Amino acid sequence: MTTTAKLPAVPWADVQAKGGIRPWVDAELLRLGLADTGTPSSMTDGEKKAYKARREEERRVRRELFRVAWTAYRAAHIVHLGAGVWWHDTADVDRFDAAEPERKRVENALPAVGDAAALATALGLSIARLRWLTYHREVDTGTHYHRWTVPKRDGGLRPISAPKPELKAAQRWIAQQVTEHLPVHGAAHGFLPGKSIATNARVHAGAKIIVKLDIEGFYPTVTFRRVKGLLRKAGLGEQVAILMALLATESPRDELVLRGKTCFVATGPRALPQGAPTSPSITNALCLRLDCRLSGLARKLGCRYTRYADDLTFSWHGGAARDADQTNSIGKLLRAVTMIVADEGFTIKRTKTRVMRAGGRQKVTGLVVNTAAGRPPARVPRDVQRKLRAAIKNRELGRPGRGESLDALRGMAAYVMMTDRTRGRAFMERLDRLSKAGATPAESEIT
């Protein structure tokens, strides 16, 4: 029998039903009439010639069958995820998994995704597409992110990596179904329902002494390995934890032109990108032990503690502040925080450490928290409110101002309203009147 046509694709389930790739190949050869059924020693010369021809055909078809079988395997399995990423298509349990992982998964209200196929189904992706989104390359000709930089207050540049739509949808699913379900300490105020920069600042309102510290390179410090470990301890299996960690992390990359082709070259390990939907909830969960230790330190020293993303704030109130001055508690605090933060895998940025006393202006997450009669406990700085008031007045008088759009001014008014509803609502009403007078948001840019 001669088989010249290209063999059709088969689903992996059919191959698996025969016991795997080699048994399926043998069964297919038998079905096609190409299985070896004789020995050359008992054949005539003509039969030997026909036998050799059939064996050549068998070898050709066998190669093609193996190709079809492996194509089916790759369509149903991840197989490989790039250099430096360990992967095995057979799930196992080892010492890095949580004790009683199923109980832990249920406690954390995480979805039952036991392997790569289940994760791909949950994300609405094929295995091939999931592999494409997670595959790590040191040098890549494409990228799953839009990248740009924004200026920082200290004069530097902050890299932003915003995921493209398909990856962003996968990250949102992970955030909503997994990482936002993980336990978070009460001292955390960033990117959590019902909490904000205002709730963070109010904790320290009216303090005698406020100490602010900043973690250096917060997101870049949270590497792929740390994310994978967090997910495994939460009750997810190694396969799913690896894939989710790859979806949630990316290497910093330089865009270069090599041999006339644009390439994106990794310049560091995979870590949380600034701009991914998963990054805030992962860091909040990862900092649970850090927050526990710093809260315990604050109680010991008689002060309060909160964390907003990478901003750590401590404050002394009332008589405790005087004790802090007298016993050098501020120095003890700074030394202990530096040690604890380092022990948890982070570093304090010393140039951004601030000690603010009640005699001067105290700001926490951009809001003023000095006690003032008739004023909210945490409020937008006066200079910001003055700029907003002047911009609205310029529009009311028909002046060009600085070119702010109505949407931008509404954002500033909402910022004020977050801490002072009366003042913020008054600004918003003036902006609404301007909008009704003909300056719609689409036409609001003044040139």
Side-chain angles (χ1 to χ4, degrees):
M1 177 178 179
T2 302
T3 308
T4 57
K6 186 176 181 180
L7 297 176
V10 297
W12 171 248
D14 290 357
V15 179
Q16 200 171 25
K18 294 292 185 180
I21 291 176
R22 186 171 292 278
W24 178 82
V25 170
D26 292 340
E28 285 297 295
L29 288 170
L30 184 62
R31 183 180 67 81
L32 294 171
L34 293 173
D36 187 0
T37 57
T39 59
S41 60
S42 60
M43 297 179 183
T44 66
D45 290 343
E47 288 173 335
K48 288 180 180 179
K49 186 175 181 180
Y51 174 82
K52 289 178 180 179
R54 192 171 61 181
R55 293 286 65 77
E56 286 296 327
E57 178 67 4
E58 178 201 356
R59 283 191 285 272
R60 187 192 68 79
V61 174
R62 182 182 291 274
R63 288 194 296 270
E64 181 66 12
L65 287 171
F66 270 108
R67 185 195 65 77
V68 169
W70 278 109
T71 299
Y73 183 89
R74 284 191 292 271
H77 299 80
I78 293 297
V79 184
H80 184 50
L81 287 170
V85 181
W86 184 90
W87 176 263
H88 197 285
D89 280 312
T90 302
D92 59 5
V93 177
D94 60 32
R95 63 189 179 89
F96 295 106
D97 287 292
E100 300 182 66
E102 182 60 20
R103 178 184 62 80
K104 196 73 172 178
R105 181 191 67 78
V106 173
E107 284 179 358
N108 288 323
L110 305 186
V113 282
D115 54 23
L119 178 61
T121 300
L123 295 174
L125 300 169
S126 66
I127 288 290
R129 206 66 179 169
L130 178 60
R131 181 169 54 242
W132 177 70
L133 287 174
T134 54
Y135 201 93
H136 174 73
R137 293 178 177 87
E138 291 296 314
V139 180
D140 204 348
T141 55
T143 175
H144 295 300
Y145 289 85
H146 298 292
R147 291 179 168 84
W148 67 92
T149 59
V150 295
K152 298 166 67 173
R153 284 182 294 180
D154 60 5
L157 293 174
R158 186 187 305 278
I160 304 295
S161 299
K164 293 179 179 178
E166 192 170 14
L167 177 58
K168 190 173 186 177
Q171 290 177 344
R172 279 179 171 164
W173 186 92
I174 294 172
Q176 293 167 2
Q177 302 297 325
V178 179
T179 56
E180 290 177 359
H181 291 249
L182 302 180
V184 176
H185 196 276
H189 287 257
F191 315 103
L192 292 167
K195 292 191 175 183
S196 64
I197 60 172
T199 62
N200 181 68
R202 288 186 194 119
V203 173
H204 308 284
K208 300 298 182 183
I209 298 174
I210 295 176
V211 179
K212 284 174 48 180
L213 304 100
D214 185 82
I215 296 176
E216 186 168 12
F218 189 47
Y219 283 164
T221 307
V222 182
T223 60
F224 160 75
R225 291 178 180 275
R226 297 182 73 174
V227 177
K228 182 180 74 171
L230 171 72
L231 295 173
R232 293 185 72 179
K233 292 300 182 185
L236 296 179
E238 183 174 28
Q239 287 182 323
V240 174
I242 289 173
L243 292 168
M244 286 189 181
L246 288 168
L247 287 169
T249 60
E250 169 62 329
S251 293
R253 293 183 183 270
D254 283 343
E255 185 175 342
L256 303 173
V257 177
L258 301 174
R259 297 173 184 173
K261 184 180 293 185
T262 300
C263 295
F264 299 88
V265 182
T267 58
R270 294 183 74 98
L272 295 182
Q274 180 91 30
T278 42
S279 296
S281 52
I282 288 173
T283 51
N284 276 336
L286 192 67
C287 287
L288 175 61
R289 193 171 73 169
L290 171 68
D291 291 335
C292 286
R293 296 179 69 181
L294 293 181
S295 292
L297 174 66
R299 285 193 300 272
K300 183 177 180 181
L301 296 177
C303 61
R304 302 175 186 178
Y305 162 71
T306 63
R307 179 182 60 81
Y308 189 94
D310 57 350
D311 292 332
L312 315 178
T313 309
F314 299 83
S315 62
W316 280 274
H317 298 248
R322 290 189 295 274
D323 294 340
D325 281 330
Q326 294 170 2
T327 61
N328 199 25
S329 288
I330 295 175
K332 291 180 181 179
L333 173 75
L334 295 176
R335 288 190 295 272
V337 169
T338 301
M339 180 189 68
I340 291 171
V341 168
D343 194 41
E344 294 297 325
F346 298 102
T347 305
I348 292 295
K349 190 171 185 177
R350 295 184 179 277
T351 57
K352 295 190 71 174
T353 299
R354 299 286 184 273
V355 177
M356 299 171 289
R357 302 177 186 274
R361 188 166 76 160
Q362 298 171 318
K363 285 177 64 178
V364 176
T365 47
L367 301 176
V368 178
V369 295
N370 297 80
T371 302
R375 301 298 301 277
R379 55 198 179 276
V380 176
R382 288 182 182 177
D383 57 333
V384 176
Q385 298 189 44
R386 289 194 191 102
K387 289 178 183 177
L388 175 59
R389 187 180 297 109
I392 295 175
K393 188 66 174 178
N394 284 332
R395 280 184 167 271
E396 291 172 339
L397 296 176
R399 298 170 182 166
R402 296 186 178 181
E404 306 92 341
S405 68
L406 275 182
D407 281 343
L409 296 178
R410 282 197 179 93
M412 293 176 67
Y415 179 46
V416 174
M417 193 158 59
M418 178 178 60
T419 61
D420 190 335
R421 296 190 66 83
T422 301
R423 196 179 297 265
R425 190 179 294 111
F427 285 137
M428 200 68 80
E429 288 172 355
R430 292 171 66 183
L431 290 169
D432 288 341
R433 288 195 293 271
L434 283 169
S435 181
K436 290 176 182 177
T440 63
E443 305 167 340
S444 59
E445 290 289 347
I446 298 178
T447 58

